[in-house]
Amino acid sequence: YLTNLDGKTEELLEFLDLPRSGDLPDFDSKKDYSGYFTREERAAASDLMRRVASADGVNLLERYWVTLDFEKMRKETKALE
């Protein structure tokens, strides 16, 4: 995606069987995009990747993962009800 964002985007959309819905924004490989998602959303995505990734995938991805204790959060949320 660093050198072929448009092509990789098309491949991903084709794989997901989704249409393109607009123009792609400029991509800056040095920018921190984590602000696009809440910490909880990033932790949920990390949890999913942790469950389905191969050992090689884990080695490549784990530095990006966010860990939250979802069970603890559920209990705290229920306590507020």
Side-chain angles (χ1 to χ4, degrees):
Y1 62 87
L2 183 59
T3 59
N4 186 13
L5 181 60
D6 194 56
K8 290 301 176 187
T9 300
E10 288 301 322
E11 287 179 28
L12 180 60
L13 290 172
E14 184 177 323
F15 174 77
L16 296 171
D17 195 26
L18 293 171
R20 182 177 278 211
S21 62
D23 295 330
L24 292 173
D26 291 333
F27 179 74
D28 179 356
S29 65
K30 293 179 175 66
K31 182 178 177 183
D32 179 3
Y33 288 89
S34 61
Y36 284 88
F37 304 96
T38 67
R39 184 166 173 77
E40 290 80 8
E41 290 169 332
R42 290 173 52 223
S46 297
D47 187 51
L48 173 65
M49 287 183 275
R50 193 175 288 111
R51 293 170 190 254
V52 300
S54 66
D56 288 338
V58 168
N59 289 335
L60 293 170
L61 297 169
E62 65 185 343
R63 66 184 167 145
Y64 301 108
W65 290 346
V66 173
T67 303
L68 293 177
D69 186 342
F70 285 107
E71 188 57 37
K72 179 181 176 186
M73 291 173 66
R74 276 191 281 277
K75 288 176 184 176
E76 289 172 353
T77 302
K78 287 181 181 179
L80 295 174
E81 294 177 353

